[in-house]
Amino acid sequence: MNYKNKKRLQSLAIIPVLMVLTGIAVYVVINNDTQDTRSSADNPNGSINLSPALITADNGEQFNVEIRVNPDNANSGSAMAVDAVIKYDRTKVQATQVTNGAIAGTYPYEGNSGITHNNGTVRVSWVGFRNNETAPPITSNQLLATVRFTVLAEGENEIKTEFTSTGSTVDSNIVRNNNGTAQDILGASSTVTVNDGEGEPDPPPPDPGDLLGDLNQDGKISLSDYSLFLQDYRECRNKNFTDCNARSDLNDDDKVSLGDYAIFIREYKAYKAAHPNG
């Protein structure tokens, strides 16, 4: 190496950092001449977020999930490399298409090469390095990629970011240049819940008058209703079971008798079992 080239490399002061991001060996080149004002007091807590949080789609329908990267710039977080590992239930949904975002740099996975349906995985990676030049770091919430899924079978399931702990090299990562040192700052992730639409929304609560045994029509069966039933039963019995109060005639036989009492006790017990705190 001649003196001129040696001097040039020294002036650039470029430090190669080998990072292993979920099976990808990526050389992130960090230029020491770039201003870096971070201090040891910084504690960025970056996140990889999936949205929307809830998907409702019928069998055979498609839907999109966005993967967004937030390096927590408020705490001096910035990303020079990102690896998002997304897991899904391959028996319920299938990833069919990945559209990378438009962040300056390199996306090691092109097209749908990051999809491995056999184990229900989508991998999307980004590196702030392209054509032998360092790209600007990610310093704000950015769209990393959009993944299209197709519903394969009924049943609720989840799509989630695989993230176990900060610093792990076998799951998702957000990596920043911390004064010349590669540092994983991923601290949070999110989950998408997928309901394929097999169930309709919960029906509204029944009208108070439709709840058998709810004599005072307050929407529940309680000891207050029991007191009213005993009152109606005694009055009906004193009238030789004629001209009885219809509210306690639960079997519609025009009187309030022990048969109605058995029905009330049955409904009361069933309601308490379904509403132990109410």
Side-chain angles (χ1 to χ4, degrees):
M1 178 182 294
N2 60 41
Y3 176 81
K4 183 178 179 180
N5 287 337
K6 182 176 181 181
K7 188 70 175 177
R8 182 171 177 269
L9 288 178
Q10 289 175 344
S11 65
L12 289 177
I14 295 177
I15 303 175
V17 180
L18 177 62
M19 298 176 52
V20 179
L21 300 179
T22 318
I24 306 175
V26 178
Y27 284 92
V28 178
V29 179
I30 303 173
N31 192 333
N32 278 349
D33 290 341
T34 301
Q35 184 179 5
D36 192 343
T37 59
R38 300 181 184 91
S39 69
S40 60
D42 297 333
N43 187 28
N45 189 38
S47 61
I48 295 178
N49 302 309
L50 307 181
S51 65
L54 178 63
I55 296 289
T56 300
D58 289 314
N59 204 356
E61 287 187 347
Q62 295 183 330
F63 61 89
N64 291 334
V65 172
E66 289 189 348
I67 307 173
R68 303 193 70 90
V69 178
N70 190 340
D72 190 15
N73 191 46
N75 291 298
S76 298
S78 64
M80 290 301 299
V82 178
D83 197 38
V85 183
I86 310 302
K87 301 292 290 185
Y88 63 91
D89 185 344
R90 65 185 180 89
T91 67
K92 300 294 178 58
V93 298
Q94 179 176 5
T96 59
Q97 181 179 338
V98 177
T99 303
N100 290 333
I103 308 170
T106 299
Y107 287 84
Y109 289 110
E110 294 294 336
N112 298 337
S113 61
I115 298 175
T116 307
H117 182 63
N118 288 342
N119 61 6
T121 302
V122 178
R123 291 183 173 89
V124 180
S125 297
W126 171 87
V127 181
F129 183 70
R130 186 177 185 86
N131 297 328
N132 294 322
E133 293 184 359
T134 302
I138 299 174
T139 57
S140 61
N141 192 347
Q142 296 286 328
L143 176 64
L144 181 67
T146 301
V147 184
R148 175 164 292 183
F149 291 88
T150 300
V151 178
L152 299 180
E154 296 181 350
E156 185 176 299
N157 59 96
E158 290 185 339
I159 300 170
K160 60 184 179 180
T161 306
E162 188 169 51
F163 169 57
T164 54
S165 62
T166 302
S168 173
T169 59
V170 295
D171 59 3
S172 302
N173 294 273
I174 298 177
V175 180
R176 75 164 179 167
N177 166 22
N178 187 13
N179 294 317
T181 301
Q183 176 189 12
D184 183 9
I185 59 171
L186 176 59
S189 61
S190 63
T191 299
V192 175
T193 299
V194 180
N195 184 335
D196 70 349
E198 68 170 326
E200 297 296 326
D202 292 337
D207 184 271
D210 295 336
L211 186 59
L212 189 64
D214 179 19
L215 306 186
N216 61 7
Q217 297 189 1
D218 64 352
K220 58 185 178 180
I221 304 175
S222 63
L223 292 178
S224 297
D225 299 297
Y226 182 68
S227 296
L228 291 176
F229 179 86
L230 291 181
Q231 175 184 318
D232 292 343
Y233 172 76
R234 293 190 185 101
E235 289 181 358
C236 186
R237 184 182 59 183
N238 292 337
K239 295 179 181 179
N240 294 318
F241 300 102
T242 60
D243 192 23
C244 299
N245 195 325
R247 68 181 178 186
S248 293
D249 180 17
L250 304 182
N251 59 6
D252 294 323
D253 64 350
D254 295 323
K255 60 183 178 181
V256 180
S257 63
L258 292 178
D260 300 296
Y261 178 80
I263 294 174
F264 180 87
I265 294 299
R266 180 194 70 199
E267 296 299 315
Y268 175 79
K269 289 181 177 179
Y271 182 88
K272 295 300 291 184
H275 307 82
N277 299 319

